[in-house]
């Protein structure tokens, strides 16, 4: 479980995964990354069986540090976009 478990599941489901950091900001005890990860959906992810679809998913993560230790992580990931790209959502479905 937790962040390490989610990362392990993502890496297993998208073994060719690459990450591109679009923006990186630091202020005080926080670091913010805006990134896009890409890969082929070849393993189960979030309960969705492999589709073989290539995806590009945007993610924003806020990391809070106490010294050299990460004490909190908040993330926003485009799950809607991911589900659309792997064909789970019906064609023409759009975000509200």
């Amino acid at each position: 479980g937790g962040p390490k478990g989610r990362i392990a599941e993502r890496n297993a489901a998208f073994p060719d995964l690459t990450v591109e950091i679009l923006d990186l900001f630091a202020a005080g005890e926080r670091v913010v990354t805006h990134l896009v990860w890409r890969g082929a959906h070849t393993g189960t992810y979030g309960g969705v069986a492999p589709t073989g679809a290539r995806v590009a998913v945007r993610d924003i993560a806020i990391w809070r540090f106490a010294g050299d230790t990460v004490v909190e992580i908040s993330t926003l990931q485009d799950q809607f976009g991911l589900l659309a790209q792997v064909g789970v959502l019906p064609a023409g479905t759009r975000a509200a």
Side-chain angles (χ1 to χ4, degrees):
K4 288 182 182 179
R6 288 189 299 276
I7 290 169
E9 180 188 19
R10 183 181 308 145
N11 288 340
F14 301 89
D16 65 341
L17 184 137
T18 62
V19 176
E20 177 186 1
I21 295 176
L22 304 173
D23 295 295
L24 179 66
F25 303 96
E29 61 186 15
R30 300 187 196 288
V31 174
V32 178
T33 57
H34 173 208
L35 58 91
V36 60
W37 59 267
R38 296 177 176 87
H41 182 219
T42 60
T44 299
Y45 184 65
V48 178
T51 63
R54 294 209 53 84
V55 301
V57 181
R58 288 188 179 259
D59 190 301
I60 296 172
I62 303 169
W63 304 70
R64 187 170 63 84
F65 288 81
D68 292 339
T69 304
V70 175
V71 294
E72 181 182 5
I73 304 170
S74 298
T75 61
L76 294 170
Q77 183 173 272
D78 182 11
Q79 290 292 310
F80 190 92
L82 172 60
L83 292 173
Q85 291 174 71
V86 298
V88 171
L89 298 176
T93 303
R94 343 178 251 115

